């Protein structure tokens, strides 16, 4: 097997395991809410630890991928990522679980920047688009994580045992595939943040990621709670599971669809799916409408982040790693504001009303994407 194929397979496994680990955590949020007897506002406060920690990790991740080959921060952050997952499972106090969540989120941010930097570099060795397939494997890992979590919950396996098993599996797999990752990909130029007037190219992409992060973050953190408390479904991971299935499937097809219709139209279509799905589950908070709504949102959000990161890699001002790091900052702010705000709105009104925030964010993808393409008129993507 050629070295390029080995590199793609190895990086694909990291995307898969990262999705598996994140979905394992997200699937257990209702368990944490119940074990620590938290209301919606208190859970919102707890979830606030994730975007704050991610925000702290962004400047460090940008520095690491510019200072070293991306495989070094990728592997170190991944090891700490899975160890912190085990720590969350073993936490017996709120202080301990907050520390575990902060470390988990901090390492996940560095991991995501390093993985996406590698993916953009690998893309240059392939004629067809492959970015969507990496994100598809992240979603597939998330799907597998939700499926495994559903089995663990169904058979009443303790959360600490569940999370430790996942951590050991991911750690051993990473040690096996690390040596095949892409080497010598450190960028020589564009590694310094340039202060001053915002670059509109980066600004518009950042705002797109901001609204996409609110949508994805809301679904990741609140879908289980929505199914448990609004839909009244005992198997509360089902909604998240459906969302992940359709997001994963859509990401594997997104590269081909984008090549056929272009990114400009794809943003509009994605926004339409997200908005209609959220609206459906707000108006009809019942089992089948909610299932259809979660499916539509999964299809809609699938292509947004891969498309935006791919566009970031074409920046003439920054290297791929630095551009992704800057744009990801907007995403972290979206995660910082979105899921906790949903918790506060749910506490003041109810969870259905709070999902209007996701509806608004989904709709905003259309005008912002059109402003971006108007800005780069003359260039074709």
């Amino acid at each position: 097997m050629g070295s390029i194929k080995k590199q793609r397979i190895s990086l694909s496994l990291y995307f898969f395991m990262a999705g598996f680990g994140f979905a394992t955590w997200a699937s257990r949020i209702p368990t944490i809410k119940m074990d620590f007897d938290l209301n919606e506002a208190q859970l919102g406060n707890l979830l606030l630890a994730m975007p704050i920690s991610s925000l702290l990790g962004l400047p460090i991740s940008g520095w690491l991928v510019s200072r070293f080959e991306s495989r070094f921060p990728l592997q170190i952050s991944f090891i700490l990522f899975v160890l912190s997952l085990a720590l969350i499972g073993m936490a017996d106090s709120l202080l301990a679980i907050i520390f575990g969540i902060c470390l988990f989120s901090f390492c996940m941010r560095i991991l995501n920047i390093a993985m996406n930097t590698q993916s953009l570099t690998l893309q240059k060795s392939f004629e067809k688009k492959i970015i969507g397939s990496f994100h598809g494997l992240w979603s597939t890992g998330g799907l597998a994580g939700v499926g495994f979590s559903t089995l663990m919950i169904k058979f009443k396996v303790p959360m600490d045992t569940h999370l430790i098993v996942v951590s050991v599996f991911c750690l051993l797999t990473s040690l096996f595939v690390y040596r095949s990752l892409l080497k010598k990909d450190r960028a020589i130029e564009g590694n310094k943040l340039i202060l001053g007037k915002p670059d509109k190219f980066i600004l518009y992409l950042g705002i797109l990621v901001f609204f996409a992060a609110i949508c994805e973050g809301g679904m990741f953190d609140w879908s289980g709670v929505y199914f448990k408390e609004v839909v009244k479904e005992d198997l509360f991971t089902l909604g998240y599971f459906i969302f992940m299935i359709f997001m994963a499937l859509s990401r594997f097809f997104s590269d081909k669809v984008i090549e056929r219709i272009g990114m400009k139209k794809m943003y509009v279509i994605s926004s339409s799916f997200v908005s209609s799905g959220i609206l459906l589950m707000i108006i009809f908070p019942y089992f089948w409408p909610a299932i259809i709504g979660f499916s539509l949102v999964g299809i809609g959000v699938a292509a947004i982040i891969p498309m935006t990161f791919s566009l970031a890699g074409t920046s003439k001002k920054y290297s791929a790693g630095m551009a992704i790091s800057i744009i990801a900052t907007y995403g972290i702010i979206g995660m910082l504001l979105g899921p906790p705000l949903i918790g506060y709105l749910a506490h003041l009104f109810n969870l259905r009303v709070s999902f209007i925030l996701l509806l608004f964010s989904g709709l905003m993808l259309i005008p912002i994407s059109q402003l971006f393409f108007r800005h780069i008129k003359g260039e074709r993507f």
Side-chain angles (χ1 to χ4, degrees), residues 118-138:
Q118 280 233 342
S119 72
L120 289 176
T121 305
L122 268 178
Q123 174 66 82
K124 297 174 183 177
S125 300
F126 291 84
E127 292 183 5
K128 294 184 177 180
K129 293 184 181 296
I130 61 171
I131 302 296
S133 66
F134 286 120
H135 289 262
L137 283 163
W138 188 94

Side-chain angles (χ1 to χ4, degrees), residues 58 120 190 192-211 267 307-331 333 368-369 371-373 375-376 379 381:
L58 276 169
L120 289 176
K192 292 184 178 180
L193 180 62
I194 302 172
L195 301 177
K197 185 179 179 180
D199 179 4
K200 286 188 176 180
F201 183 93
I202 295 293
L203 178 63
Y204 288 138
L205 293 179
I207 296 174
L208 284 170
V209 169
F210 170 80
F211 286 116
Y267 276 110
M307 275 196 300
T308 310
F309 279 0
S310 179
L311 287 167
T314 66
S315 171
K316 297 176 182 178
K317 189 173 183 180
Y318 295 107
S319 66
M322 182 57 69
I324 290 175
S325 182
I326 296 170
I327 289 170
T329 305
Y330 290 83
I333 295 172
I368 301 302
S369 64
L371 283 173
F372 171 79
F373 286 105
H375 172 68
I376 61 166
E379 297 184 43
F381 292 96

Side-chain angles (χ1 to χ4, degrees), residues 17 20-21 24 28 82-83 85-87 89-90 148-149 152 157-173:
M17 292 185 293
F20 194 96
T24 299
R28 283 295 190 168
V82 296
L83 291 178
L85 182 63
L87 180 60
M90 295 185 290
F148 187 65
S149 297
M152 296 294 100
V157 176
M159 187 172 73
D160 58 347
T161 303
H162 173 200
L163 269 58
I164 289 171
V165 168
V166 172
S167 298
V168 171
F169 164 75
C170 291
L171 180 60
L172 292 177
T173 305

Side-chain angles (χ1 to χ4, degrees), residues 30-70:
T31 305
I32 293 169
K33 182 177 184 291
M34 181 178 63
D35 288 350
F36 289 92
D37 193 26
L38 305 174
N39 60 37
E40 282 81 1
Q42 291 170 329
L43 180 59
N45 287 332
L46 182 65
L47 296 176
L48 196 61
M50 291 196 72
I52 291 175
S53 302
S54 290
L55 200 59
L56 294 174
L58 276 169
I60 297 174
S61 62
W63 177 79
L64 287 172
V65 296
S66 64
R67 181 69 177 81
F68 305 100
E69 296 177 14
S70 61

Side-chain angles (χ1 to χ4, degrees), residues 186-261:
R186 180 176 174 267
I188 300 174
E189 299 178 344
N191 291 321
K192 292 184 178 180
L193 180 62
I194 302 172
L195 301 177
K197 185 179 179 180
D199 179 4
K200 286 188 176 180
F201 183 93
I202 295 293
L203 178 63
Y204 288 138
L205 293 179
I207 296 174
L208 284 170
V209 169
F210 170 80
F211 286 116
I214 291 178
C215 294
E216 282 200 28
M219 296 302 290
F220 288 145
D221 291 354
W222 288 101
S223 59
V225 180
Y226 184 90
F227 245 68
K228 184 178 179 66
E229 299 184 2
V230 178
V231 182
K232 308 297 183 184
E233 175 63 39
D234 291 334
L235 196 58
F236 54 79
T237 56
L238 185 59
Y240 185 42
F241 188 62
I242 292 295
F243 167 73
M244 292 298 292
I245 284 176
F246 281 87
M247 184 165 69
L249 289 174
S250 298
R251 280 181 166 168
F252 284 116
F253 290 105
S254 64
D255 287 332
K256 291 183 179 179
V257 176
I258 290 168
E259 286 181 350
R260 178 167 294 183
I261 68 172

